[in-house]
């Protein structure tokens, strides 16, 4: 409702749905010996999994293109058999992971364009209200936390120009970064889902050449407190 004070947009269905499930770790020992985030890419869909609950469970998200599923619910059950059918022929690590789940949920993924501003008058937005994003970088919560850190810093020292100036500074610091991350999350839907071919081979070669956190320094190396402090000077 607060966002409506700032923008008159509506969520847009992305054409993608995501099945999510939790699997006890002892059912998938092939994925637990080396605890890390794993991604499998393929035409029109991808699967990601990672350990949660101190390694006791593996959480996974498996995307599937769909023209008919528009359910925005966080609790809608998914059809396990439909998910398994969608991943038939994929790497055995994926098919065994999906087979090991007792139940899955299903979300329709919606997107919105970036806002041109985050505030109006004395009202501002942070987190998903400001920049909802597709989950293809796992950044929604991170960006909400960064927003909070920067906003708190701006409000702690609003200066002689008052609240309006503080909110403009918050927007100036945050909007370029959250816009870039929204766009990159959207672009990942294309990159992750390439059909087999030259582009897909380039993507795979690039991923192999620079795996890990090193090529994401701009994303994971960001210091929100530092960003707020340096914008003052
Ligand atoms: C399954 C799943 C996995 C995810 N994984 C990741 C991940 O790995 N990494 C990551 O960074 N992000 C992840 N996200 C995204 C992340 O959860 C969201 O981006 C994040 O929660 C946004 O935080 P927020 O505070 O903006 O909104 P929310 O977490 O939605 O909080 C908004 C709160 O406001 C309350 N509220 C709403 N209306 C009112 C009202 N009128 N009055 C009072 N209270 C109200 C709501 O009940 C809610 O508690 C995931 C999301 C999902 C669904």
């Amino acid at each position: 409702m607060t966002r409506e004070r700032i923008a008159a947009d509506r969520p847009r269905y992305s054409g993608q749905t995501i099945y999510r499930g939790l699997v006890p770790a002892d059912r998938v020992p092939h994925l637990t010996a080396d605890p890390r985030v794993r991604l499998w890419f393929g035409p029109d869909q991808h699967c990601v999994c990672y350990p949660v609950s101190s390694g006791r469970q593996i959480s996974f998200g498996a995307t599937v293109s769909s023209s008919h599923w528009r359910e925005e619910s966080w609790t809608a059950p998914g059809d396990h058999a439909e998910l398994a059918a969608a991943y038939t022929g994929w790497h055995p690590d994926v098919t065994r992971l999906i087979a090991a789940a007792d139940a899955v949920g299903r979300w329709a993924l919606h997107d919105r364009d970036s806002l041109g501003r985050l505030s109006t008058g004395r009202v501002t937005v942070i987190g998903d209200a400001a920049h909802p994003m597709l989950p293809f970088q796992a950044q929604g919560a991170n960006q909400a936390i960064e927003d909070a850190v920067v906003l708190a810093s701006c409000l702690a020292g609003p200066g002689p120009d008052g609240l309006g100036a503080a909110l403009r500074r918050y927007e100036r610091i945050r909007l370029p970064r959250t816009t870039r991350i929204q766009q990159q999350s959207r672009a990942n839907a294309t990159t992750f889902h390439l059909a087999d071919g030259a582009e897909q081979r380039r993507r795979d070669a690039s991923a192999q050449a620079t795996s890990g956190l090193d090529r994401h320094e701009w994303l994971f190396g960001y210091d929100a407190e530092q960003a707020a402090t340096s914008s003052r000077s």
Side-chain angles (χ1 to χ4, degrees):
M1 284 171 70
T2 305
R3 183 186 168 104
E4 287 170 7
R5 304 263 308 264
I6 297 168
D9 62 346
R10 307 289 310 158
R12 182 177 61 238
Y13 178 54
S14 68
Q16 296 283 320
T17 66
I18 186 162
Y19 290 88
R20 291 189 186 271
L22 281 173
V23 174
D26 57 8
R27 291 189 197 169
V28 284
H30 61 292
L31 297 175
T32 52
D34 177 19
R36 57 169 65 208
V37 178
R38 288 183 168 78
L39 274 161
W40 296 269
F41 300 147
D44 291 330
Q45 55 196 56
H46 76 279
C47 182
V48 57
C49 81
Y50 43 87
V52 294
S53 306
S54 305
R56 289 189 301 277
Q57 302 197 84
I58 299 291
S59 172
F60 72 86
T63 64
V64 171
S65 297
S66 173
S67 56
H68 68 278
W69 182 282
R70 304 284 170 105
E71 179 80 53
E72 265 204 278
S73 162
W74 284 38
T75 52
D79 185 323
H80 195 190
E82 268 185 38
L83 170 60
Y87 278 82
T88 301
W90 278 54
H91 192 280
D93 284 357
V94 181
T95 54
R96 281 158 60 193
L97 172 65
I98 291 171
D102 290 326
V104 289
R106 190 176 183 184
W107 280 257
L109 298 177
H110 289 74
D111 201 5
R112 290 182 191 247
D113 288 331
S114 305
L115 294 176
R117 59 184 181 143
L118 297 177
S119 310
T120 178
R122 297 171 60 83
V123 174
T124 197
V125 281
I126 67 169
D128 280 2
H131 40 66
M133 53 187 74
L134 294 174
F136 301 148
Q137 267 184 131
Q139 277 296 310
N142 292 346
Q143 293 313 306
I145 292 165
E146 289 181 9
D147 287 345
V149 170
V150 171
L151 182 59
S153 174
C154 292
L155 292 177
D161 298 328
L163 182 63
L167 296 184
R168 281 194 296 281
R169 190 155 71 85
Y170 158 67
E171 180 178 296
R172 208 168 50 243
I173 298 168
R174 294 300 299 157
L175 203 49
R177 176 168 168 83
T178 55
T179 299
R180 179 178 180 188
I181 293 170
Q182 274 181 305
Q183 290 168 347
Q184 184 64 54
S185 300
R186 205 172 295 134
N188 280 353
T190 306
T191 311
F192 290 0
H193 300 164
L194 290 172
D196 290 351
E199 244 190 305
Q200 163 263 323
R201 285 192 292 277
R202 269 197 299 279
R203 174 201 67 197
D204 293 354
S206 156
Q208 274 163 4
T210 55
S211 62
L213 299 179
D214 45 350
R215 71 193 167 121
H216 289 106
E217 175 62 24
W218 71 272
L219 185 59
F220 299 118
Y222 181 83
D223 183 335
E225 279 179 345
Q226 173 64 29
T229 309
S230 58
S231 82
R232 263 201 206 105
S233 48

PDB file of all heavy atoms in Angstrom, residues 1 20 50 74 107 126-130 133 135 137-144, ligand 1:
ATOM      1  N   MET A   1       0.826  -1.211   0.000  1.00  0.00           N
ATOM      2  CA  MET A   1       0.000   0.000   0.000  1.00  0.00           C
ATOM      3  C   MET A   1       0.856   1.256   0.000  1.00  0.00           C
ATOM      4  O   MET A   1       0.531   2.232  -0.646  1.00  0.00           O
ATOM      5  CB  MET A   1      -0.934   0.006   1.204  1.00  0.00           C
ATOM      6  CG  MET A   1      -2.123  -0.935   1.017  1.00  0.00           C
ATOM      7  SD  MET A   1      -3.090  -1.141   2.502  1.00  0.00           S
ATOM      8  CE  MET A   1      -3.863   0.450   2.648  1.00  0.00           C
ATOM      9  N   ARG A  20       9.802 -25.463  -4.627  1.00  0.00           N
ATOM     10  CA  ARG A  20      10.786 -25.468  -3.548  1.00  0.00           C
ATOM     11  C   ARG A  20      10.535 -26.665  -2.641  1.00  0.00           C
ATOM     12  O   ARG A  20       9.385 -27.040  -2.401  1.00  0.00           O
ATOM     13  CB  ARG A  20      10.697 -24.184  -2.726  1.00  0.00           C
ATOM     14  CG  ARG A  20      11.156 -22.952  -3.474  1.00  0.00           C
ATOM     15  CD  ARG A  20      11.258 -21.764  -2.535  1.00  0.00           C
ATOM     16  NE  ARG A  20      11.558 -20.535  -3.242  1.00  0.00           N
ATOM     17  CZ  ARG A  20      12.793 -20.112  -3.501  1.00  0.00           C
ATOM     18  NH1 ARG A  20      13.832 -20.808  -3.118  1.00  0.00           N
ATOM     19  NH2 ARG A  20      12.972 -18.969  -4.140  1.00  0.00           N
ATOM     20  N   TYR A  50      21.204 -25.937  -1.674  1.00  0.00           N
ATOM     21  CA  TYR A  50      22.228 -25.541  -0.693  1.00  0.00           C
ATOM     22  C   TYR A  50      21.811 -26.078   0.674  1.00  0.00           C
ATOM     23  O   TYR A  50      20.622 -26.296   0.932  1.00  0.00           O
ATOM     24  CB  TYR A  50      22.373 -24.001  -0.637  1.00  0.00           C
ATOM     25  CG  TYR A  50      21.063 -23.255  -0.659  1.00  0.00           C
ATOM     26  CD1 TYR A  50      20.363 -22.998   0.510  1.00  0.00           C
ATOM     27  CD2 TYR A  50      20.514 -22.831  -1.868  1.00  0.00           C
ATOM     28  CE1 TYR A  50      19.149 -22.332   0.487  1.00  0.00           C
ATOM     29  CE2 TYR A  50      19.291 -22.165  -1.900  1.00  0.00           C
ATOM     30  CZ  TYR A  50      18.621 -21.920  -0.716  1.00  0.00           C
ATOM     31  OH  TYR A  50      17.405 -21.269  -0.750  1.00  0.00           O
ATOM     32  N   TRP A  74       2.537 -18.149  -0.985  1.00  0.00           N
ATOM     33  CA  TRP A  74       3.782 -18.702  -0.440  1.00  0.00           C
ATOM     34  C   TRP A  74       3.564 -20.122   0.060  1.00  0.00           C
ATOM     35  O   TRP A  74       4.481 -20.765   0.516  1.00  0.00           O
ATOM     36  CB  TRP A  74       4.282 -17.853   0.722  1.00  0.00           C
ATOM     37  CG  TRP A  74       4.926 -16.573   0.322  1.00  0.00           C
ATOM     38  CD1 TRP A  74       4.547 -15.747  -0.696  1.00  0.00           C
ATOM     39  CD2 TRP A  74       6.079 -15.967   0.907  1.00  0.00           C
ATOM     40  NE1 TRP A  74       5.379 -14.675  -0.762  1.00  0.00           N
ATOM     41  CE2 TRP A  74       6.332 -14.776   0.215  1.00  0.00           C
ATOM     42  CE3 TRP A  74       6.915 -16.319   1.974  1.00  0.00           C
ATOM     43  CZ2 TRP A  74       7.389 -13.931   0.539  1.00  0.00           C
ATOM     44  CZ3 TRP A  74       7.959 -15.479   2.297  1.00  0.00           C
ATOM     45  CH2 TRP A  74       8.193 -14.298   1.592  1.00  0.00           C
ATOM     46  N   TRP A 107       5.641 -21.637  -6.462  1.00  0.00           N
ATOM     47  CA  TRP A 107       5.423 -20.199  -6.542  1.00  0.00           C
ATOM     48  C   TRP A 107       5.432 -19.755  -7.997  1.00  0.00           C
ATOM     49  O   TRP A 107       6.329 -20.156  -8.740  1.00  0.00           O
ATOM     50  CB  TRP A 107       6.585 -19.429  -5.917  1.00  0.00           C
ATOM     51  CG  TRP A 107       6.647 -19.290  -4.449  1.00  0.00           C
ATOM     52  CD1 TRP A 107       6.323 -18.181  -3.734  1.00  0.00           C
ATOM     53  CD2 TRP A 107       7.133 -20.245  -3.500  1.00  0.00           C
ATOM     54  NE1 TRP A 107       6.567 -18.398  -2.395  1.00  0.00           N
ATOM     55  CE2 TRP A 107       7.054 -19.659  -2.222  1.00  0.00           C
ATOM     56  CE3 TRP A 107       7.605 -21.550  -3.591  1.00  0.00           C
ATOM     57  CZ2 TRP A 107       7.432 -20.317  -1.066  1.00  0.00           C
ATOM     58  CZ3 TRP A 107       7.983 -22.208  -2.444  1.00  0.00           C
ATOM     59  CH2 TRP A 107       7.897 -21.604  -1.200  1.00  0.00           C
ATOM     60  N   ILE A 126      11.621   0.457   1.606  1.00  0.00           N
ATOM     61  CA  ILE A 126      12.847  -0.346   1.576  1.00  0.00           C
ATOM     62  C   ILE A 126      12.464  -1.779   1.211  1.00  0.00           C
ATOM     63  O   ILE A 126      11.274  -2.135   1.200  1.00  0.00           O
ATOM     64  CB  ILE A 126      13.601  -0.337   2.936  1.00  0.00           C
ATOM     65  CG1 ILE A 126      12.800  -1.056   4.012  1.00  0.00           C
ATOM     66  CG2 ILE A 126      13.932   1.072   3.376  1.00  0.00           C
ATOM     67  CD1 ILE A 126      13.614  -1.304   5.297  1.00  0.00           C
ATOM     68  N   GLY A 127      13.441  -2.608   0.924  1.00  0.00           N
ATOM     69  CA  GLY A 127      13.216  -4.043   0.732  1.00  0.00           C
ATOM     70  C   GLY A 127      12.324  -4.352  -0.466  1.00  0.00           C
ATOM     71  O   GLY A 127      12.355  -3.669  -1.490  1.00  0.00           O
ATOM     72  N   ASP A 128      11.535  -5.412  -0.326  1.00  0.00           N
ATOM     73  CA  ASP A 128      10.696  -5.861  -1.443  1.00  0.00           C
ATOM     74  C   ASP A 128       9.700  -4.787  -1.875  1.00  0.00           C
ATOM     75  O   ASP A 128       9.300  -4.757  -3.037  1.00  0.00           O
ATOM     76  CB  ASP A 128       9.925  -7.135  -1.060  1.00  0.00           C
ATOM     77  CG  ASP A 128      10.790  -8.387  -1.175  1.00  0.00           C
ATOM     78  OD1 ASP A 128      11.982  -8.271  -1.513  1.00  0.00           O
ATOM     79  OD2 ASP A 128      10.249  -9.492  -0.924  1.00  0.00           O
ATOM     80  N   ALA A 129       9.277  -3.934  -0.966  1.00  0.00           N
ATOM     81  CA  ALA A 129       8.351  -2.868  -1.361  1.00  0.00           C
ATOM     82  C   ALA A 129       9.035  -1.897  -2.320  1.00  0.00           C
ATOM     83  O   ALA A 129       8.393  -1.308  -3.190  1.00  0.00           O
ATOM     84  CB  ALA A 129       7.859  -2.119  -0.118  1.00  0.00           C
ATOM     85  N   ALA A 130      10.348  -1.763  -2.193  1.00  0.00           N
ATOM     86  CA  ALA A 130      11.094  -0.817  -3.031  1.00  0.00           C
ATOM     87  C   ALA A 130      11.578  -1.468  -4.321  1.00  0.00           C
ATOM     88  O   ALA A 130      11.539  -0.862  -5.382  1.00  0.00           O
ATOM     89  CB  ALA A 130      12.290  -0.273  -2.246  1.00  0.00           C
ATOM     90  N   MET A 133      12.514  -8.495  -6.571  1.00  0.00           N
ATOM     91  CA  MET A 133      13.367  -9.000  -7.661  1.00  0.00           C
ATOM     92  C   MET A 133      13.189 -10.494  -7.822  1.00  0.00           C
ATOM     93  O   MET A 133      12.805 -11.191  -6.869  1.00  0.00           O
ATOM     94  CB  MET A 133      14.830  -8.640  -7.399  1.00  0.00           C
ATOM     95  CG  MET A 133      15.369  -9.051  -6.067  1.00  0.00           C
ATOM     96  SD  MET A 133      17.050  -8.410  -5.784  1.00  0.00           S
ATOM     97  CE  MET A 133      16.797  -6.665  -5.462  1.00  0.00           C
ATOM     98  N   PRO A 135      14.305 -14.302  -7.951  1.00  0.00           N
ATOM     99  CA  PRO A 135      15.226 -14.872  -6.949  1.00  0.00           C
ATOM    100  C   PRO A 135      16.496 -15.462  -7.550  1.00  0.00           C
ATOM    101  O   PRO A 135      17.151 -16.267  -6.909  1.00  0.00           O
ATOM    102  CB  PRO A 135      14.365 -15.984  -6.321  1.00  0.00           C
ATOM    103  CG  PRO A 135      13.476 -16.433  -7.415  1.00  0.00           C
ATOM    104  CD  PRO A 135      13.181 -15.214  -8.249  1.00  0.00           C
ATOM    105  N   GLN A 137      19.422 -14.433  -7.963  1.00  0.00           N
ATOM    106  CA  GLN A 137      20.699 -14.056  -7.353  1.00  0.00           C
ATOM    107  C   GLN A 137      20.624 -14.181  -5.839  1.00  0.00           C
ATOM    108  O   GLN A 137      21.572 -13.855  -5.153  1.00  0.00           O
ATOM    109  CB  GLN A 137      21.050 -12.598  -7.695  1.00  0.00           C
ATOM    110  CG  GLN A 137      21.918 -12.458  -8.905  1.00  0.00           C
ATOM    111  CD  GLN A 137      22.313 -11.009  -9.127  1.00  0.00           C
ATOM    112  OE1 GLN A 137      23.456 -10.682  -9.329  1.00  0.00           O
ATOM    113  NE2 GLN A 137      21.342 -10.127  -9.071  1.00  0.00           N
ATOM    114  N   ALA A 138      19.442 -14.594  -5.340  1.00  0.00           N
ATOM    115  CA  ALA A 138      19.227 -14.731  -3.891  1.00  0.00           C
ATOM    116  C   ALA A 138      19.600 -13.448  -3.145  1.00  0.00           C
ATOM    117  O   ALA A 138      20.333 -13.473  -2.163  1.00  0.00           O
ATOM    118  CB  ALA A 138      20.007 -15.934  -3.350  1.00  0.00           C
ATOM    119  N   GLN A 139      19.073 -12.302  -3.618  1.00  0.00           N
ATOM    120  CA  GLN A 139      19.498 -11.014  -3.062  1.00  0.00           C
ATOM    121  C   GLN A 139      18.389 -10.225  -2.374  1.00  0.00           C
ATOM    122  O   GLN A 139      18.645  -9.136  -1.862  1.00  0.00           O
ATOM    123  CB  GLN A 139      20.113 -10.159  -4.176  1.00  0.00           C
ATOM    124  CG  GLN A 139      21.572 -10.476  -4.443  1.00  0.00           C
ATOM    125  CD  GLN A 139      22.445 -10.168  -3.239  1.00  0.00           C
ATOM    126  OE1 GLN A 139      22.375  -9.093  -2.675  1.00  0.00           O
ATOM    127  NE2 GLN A 139      23.255 -11.128  -2.835  1.00  0.00           N
ATOM    128  N   GLY A 140      17.138 -10.734  -2.394  1.00  0.00           N
ATOM    129  CA  GLY A 140      16.031  -9.933  -1.857  1.00  0.00           C
ATOM    130  C   GLY A 140      16.248  -9.509  -0.420  1.00  0.00           C
ATOM    131  O   GLY A 140      16.147  -8.323  -0.082  1.00  0.00           O
ATOM    132  N   ALA A 141      16.566 -10.462   0.448  1.00  0.00           N
ATOM    133  CA  ALA A 141      16.751 -10.143   1.864  1.00  0.00           C
ATOM    134  C   ALA A 141      18.030  -9.325   2.066  1.00  0.00           C
ATOM    135  O   ALA A 141      18.061  -8.383   2.860  1.00  0.00           O
ATOM    136  CB  ALA A 141      16.801 -11.425   2.688  1.00  0.00           C
ATOM    137  N   ASN A 142      19.077  -9.679   1.325  1.00  0.00           N
ATOM    138  CA  ASN A 142      20.337  -8.925   1.463  1.00  0.00           C
ATOM    139  C   ASN A 142      20.122  -7.453   1.155  1.00  0.00           C
ATOM    140  O   ASN A 142      20.626  -6.570   1.858  1.00  0.00           O
ATOM    141  CB  ASN A 142      21.396  -9.483   0.502  1.00  0.00           C
ATOM    142  CG  ASN A 142      21.842 -10.874   0.889  1.00  0.00           C
ATOM    143  OD1 ASN A 142      21.577 -11.325   1.990  1.00  0.00           O
ATOM    144  ND2 ASN A 142      22.511 -11.549  -0.013  1.00  0.00           N
ATOM    145  N   GLN A 143      19.373  -7.190   0.085  1.00  0.00           N
ATOM    146  CA  GLN A 143      19.165  -5.794  -0.305  1.00  0.00           C
ATOM    147  C   GLN A 143      18.288  -5.060   0.703  1.00  0.00           C
ATOM    148  O   GLN A 143      18.462  -3.861   0.939  1.00  0.00           O
ATOM    149  CB  GLN A 143      18.601  -5.709  -1.726  1.00  0.00           C
ATOM    150  CG  GLN A 143      19.595  -6.184  -2.780  1.00  0.00           C
ATOM    151  CD  GLN A 143      20.979  -5.580  -2.572  1.00  0.00           C
ATOM    152  OE1 GLN A 143      21.127  -4.366  -2.479  1.00  0.00           O
ATOM    153  NE2 GLN A 143      21.998  -6.424  -2.476  1.00  0.00           N
ATOM    154  N   ALA A 144      17.337  -5.780   1.294  1.00  0.00           N
ATOM    155  CA  ALA A 144      16.500  -5.154   2.329  1.00  0.00           C
ATOM    156  C   ALA A 144      17.369  -4.737   3.527  1.00  0.00           C
ATOM    157  O   ALA A 144      17.196  -3.656   4.102  1.00  0.00           O
ATOM    158  CB  ALA A 144      15.407  -6.126   2.767  1.00  0.00           C
TER     159      ALA A 144
HETATM  160  C1  LIG B   1      11.347 -19.242  -0.379  1.00  0.00           C
HETATM  161  C2  LIG B   1      12.140 -17.979  -0.406  1.00  0.00           C
HETATM  162  C3  LIG B   1      13.543 -18.034  -0.377  1.00  0.00           C
HETATM  163  C4  LIG B   1      14.290 -16.844  -0.380  1.00  0.00           C
HETATM  164  N1  LIG B   1      15.654 -16.940  -0.329  1.00  0.00           N
HETATM  165  C5  LIG B   1      16.383 -15.811  -0.265  1.00  0.00           C
HETATM  166  C6  LIG B   1      17.806 -15.871  -0.149  1.00  0.00           C
HETATM  167  O1  LIG B   1      18.409 -16.942  -0.156  1.00  0.00           O
HETATM  168  N2  LIG B   1      18.492 -14.712  -0.061  1.00  0.00           N
HETATM  169  C7  LIG B   1      17.871 -13.508  -0.065  1.00  0.00           C
HETATM  170  O2  LIG B   1      18.559 -12.467   0.044  1.00  0.00           O
HETATM  171  N3  LIG B   1      16.538 -13.408  -0.194  1.00  0.00           N
HETATM  172  C8  LIG B   1      15.775 -14.533  -0.289  1.00  0.00           C
HETATM  173  N4  LIG B   1      14.411 -14.440  -0.415  1.00  0.00           N
HETATM  174  C9  LIG B   1      13.781 -13.118  -0.537  1.00  0.00           C
HETATM  175  C10 LIG B   1      13.554 -12.484   0.842  1.00  0.00           C
HETATM  176  O3  LIG B   1      12.816 -13.349   1.677  1.00  0.00           O
HETATM  177  C11 LIG B   1      12.797 -11.183   0.663  1.00  0.00           C
HETATM  178  O4  LIG B   1      13.412 -10.388  -0.339  1.00  0.00           O
HETATM  179  C12 LIG B   1      12.830 -10.408   1.988  1.00  0.00           C
HETATM  180  O5  LIG B   1      12.096 -11.129   2.967  1.00  0.00           O
HETATM  181  C13 LIG B   1      12.226  -9.014   1.823  1.00  0.00           C
HETATM  182  O6  LIG B   1      12.194  -8.405   3.102  1.00  0.00           O
HETATM  183  P1  LIG B   1      11.165  -7.259   3.413  1.00  0.00           P
HETATM  184  O7  LIG B   1      11.418  -6.894   4.851  1.00  0.00           O
HETATM  185  O8  LIG B   1      11.270  -6.195   2.387  1.00  0.00           O
HETATM  186  O9  LIG B   1       9.725  -7.897   3.225  1.00  0.00           O
HETATM  187  P2  LIG B   1       9.049  -9.089   4.051  1.00  0.00           P
HETATM  188  O10 LIG B   1      10.076 -10.080   4.528  1.00  0.00           O
HETATM  189  O11 LIG B   1       7.946  -9.566   3.171  1.00  0.00           O
HETATM  190  O12 LIG B   1       8.495  -8.376   5.332  1.00  0.00           O
HETATM  191  C14 LIG B   1       7.371  -7.528   5.262  1.00  0.00           C
HETATM  192  C15 LIG B   1       6.648  -7.663   6.598  1.00  0.00           C
HETATM  193  O13 LIG B   1       5.630  -6.653   6.683  1.00  0.00           O
HETATM  194  C16 LIG B   1       4.465  -7.255   7.208  1.00  0.00           C
HETATM  195  N5  LIG B   1       3.323  -6.437   6.763  1.00  0.00           N
HETATM  196  C17 LIG B   1       2.754  -6.366   5.538  1.00  0.00           C
HETATM  197  N6  LIG B   1       1.738  -5.480   5.540  1.00  0.00           N
HETATM  198  C18 LIG B   1       1.683  -4.960   6.785  1.00  0.00           C
HETATM  199  C19 LIG B   1       0.864  -3.969   7.404  1.00  0.00           C
HETATM  200  N7  LIG B   1      -0.101  -3.331   6.754  1.00  0.00           N
HETATM  201  N8  LIG B   1       1.097  -3.694   8.696  1.00  0.00           N
HETATM  202  C20 LIG B   1       2.107  -4.308   9.396  1.00  0.00           C
HETATM  203  N9  LIG B   1       2.907  -5.256   8.846  1.00  0.00           N
HETATM  204  C21 LIG B   1       2.702  -5.562   7.570  1.00  0.00           C
HETATM  205  C22 LIG B   1       4.467  -8.659   6.620  1.00  0.00           C
HETATM  206  O14 LIG B   1       3.647  -9.531   7.375  1.00  0.00           O
HETATM  207  C23 LIG B   1       5.948  -9.021   6.746  1.00  0.00           C
HETATM  208  O15 LIG B   1       6.268  -9.561   7.993  1.00  0.00           O
HETATM  209  C24 LIG B   1      13.634 -15.608  -0.426  1.00  0.00           C
HETATM  210  C25 LIG B   1      12.224 -15.541  -0.477  1.00  0.00           C
HETATM  211  C26 LIG B   1      11.493 -16.713  -0.480  1.00  0.00           C
HETATM  212  C27 LIG B   1       9.978 -16.629  -0.526  1.00  0.00           C
END
